[in-house]
Amino acid sequence: MILADKLPSEFSSYKNIVKEPTSYYSIVFRQKPEGITVMYSYSNDFQIKYKNEREKHFNLSGVFIKHKNKNEYVEIPLTFVHGNLQHIIVENPTKFYKDYDFNSIELRNLKADYFKIQNPDRKTTEKILKSLSKAQMELLEIDDTFEIEFDEKLYYTILDMEDGNYIAVDKKGKVYRLNHDHEQMVKLIAEKPTDFFEIYNGQKSELENIMYE
């Protein structure tokens, strides 16, 4: 929370994520290279709200913390995945919480270097949508697709409505609107991918009413 409070507004995703309740988290100490990996478990609602952040994977430099024994500030490189802190690069990781004063965090020339992670869900989604034309595929957001599990059923996002809600398909090609704030979170809107383009021609505003029905 201390880091989140200090980061500027461009890191609003992380600032919001740390406020979300976790099912559990675990810490793994790495030796080669030295550091700490943090692993989390979240609810389905969390995945829908945050997992598809467009600028979600990045290395962050410019975070300094005071080393208690050395009485000097040390830069601690950080890696964020899906908008959340996942890797901390530091010597003697098992002593991290003893050696550093976390109330002393300073930001100096902060810089985020964004990178992409190969998306294993893209091929699955492309197979589901094989009946669509190239032009239709270009109106969807397949590069950022991800799998969501709800009531033991899998969905693959094809449009990010940019408010934490999505349009998604199941493995049979049926199209659904996913609204995490709605009493009926999952609702069928088209029996097959080609039918979806009877109500959508590239303007997300056309889908606003459907998202809240």
Side-chain angles (χ1 to χ4, degrees):
M1 286 295 290
I2 297 175
L3 174 62
D5 289 340
K6 287 184 174 290
L7 288 174
S9 58
E10 68 181 279
F11 301 98
S12 60
S13 174
Y14 174 64
K15 295 164 80 72
N16 290 329
I17 285 172
V18 296
K19 298 175 184 178
E20 295 280 347
T22 58
S23 298
Y24 69 84
Y25 74 92
S26 60
I27 294 175
V28 178
F29 297 109
R30 303 195 321 256
Q31 297 304 319
K32 292 183 180 181
E34 283 191 305
I36 298 169
T37 296
V38 186
M39 303 179 69
Y40 310 85
S41 174
Y42 292 99
S43 66
N44 286 324
D45 283 353
F46 170 86
Q47 293 184 51
I48 293 174
K49 288 168 68 176
Y50 296 111
K51 192 174 180 180
N52 205 33
E53 292 293 329
R54 293 195 178 279
E55 295 181 334
K56 52 194 172 186
H57 315 305
F58 58 93
N59 295 313
L60 186 65
S61 60
V63 177
F64 289 77
I65 307 179
K66 191 172 185 180
H67 194 292
K68 295 177 182 177
N69 297 329
K70 297 179 181 179
N71 197 31
E72 63 182 22
Y73 278 83
V74 177
E75 184 174 13
I76 307 294
L78 306 172
T79 299
F80 292 73
V81 176
H82 296 302
N84 204 359
L85 177 62
Q86 189 162 95
H87 301 297
I88 303 168
I89 301 173
V90 62
E91 294 181 354
N92 299 317
T94 57
K95 297 182 179 179
F96 183 52
Y97 292 98
K98 293 182 179 179
D99 288 346
Y100 291 86
D101 177 7
F102 294 98
N103 291 316
S104 70
I105 292 178
E106 289 188 2
L107 307 181
R108 306 175 186 176
N109 299 318
L110 202 65
K111 182 181 179 182
D113 292 318
Y114 293 93
F115 59 90
K116 291 185 177 181
I117 293 178
Q118 186 175 5
N119 186 349
D121 296 323
R122 177 172 177 168
K123 288 186 177 181
T124 300
T125 307
E126 287 177 335
K127 288 180 181 179
I128 295 170
L129 301 174
K130 62 183 180 181
S131 62
L132 297 181
S133 67
K134 181 179 179 181
Q136 289 172 326
M137 289 289 284
E138 288 177 351
L139 296 178
L140 303 177
E141 297 168 346
I142 307 304
D143 287 345
D144 294 323
T145 186
F146 66 94
E147 181 183 270
I148 296 173
E149 181 176 356
F150 183 76
D151 284 347
E152 299 183 352
K153 187 172 180 179
L154 300 178
Y155 301 89
Y156 299 86
T157 64
I158 60 173
L159 284 177
D160 177 1
M161 298 305 291
E162 301 172 11
D163 56 2
N165 300 319
Y166 297 88
I167 302 295
V169 292
D170 64 12
K171 289 193 173 182
K172 294 181 179 179
K174 294 185 177 183
V175 186
Y176 300 82
R177 68 107 174 99
L178 308 183
N179 185 334
H180 69 277
D181 285 329
H182 200 286
E183 183 178 352
Q184 183 183 0
M185 187 178 122
V186 178
K187 183 177 180 180
L188 179 68
I189 59 174
E191 287 289 341
K192 53 187 178 181
T194 51
D195 290 348
F196 175 61
F197 284 89
E198 294 179 6
I199 58 175
Y200 175 68
N201 65 11
Q203 299 297 320
K204 292 181 182 179
S205 58
E206 300 170 329
L207 304 173
E208 289 181 359
N209 291 337
I210 291 174
M211 293 305 298
Y212 292 93
E213 287 181 348

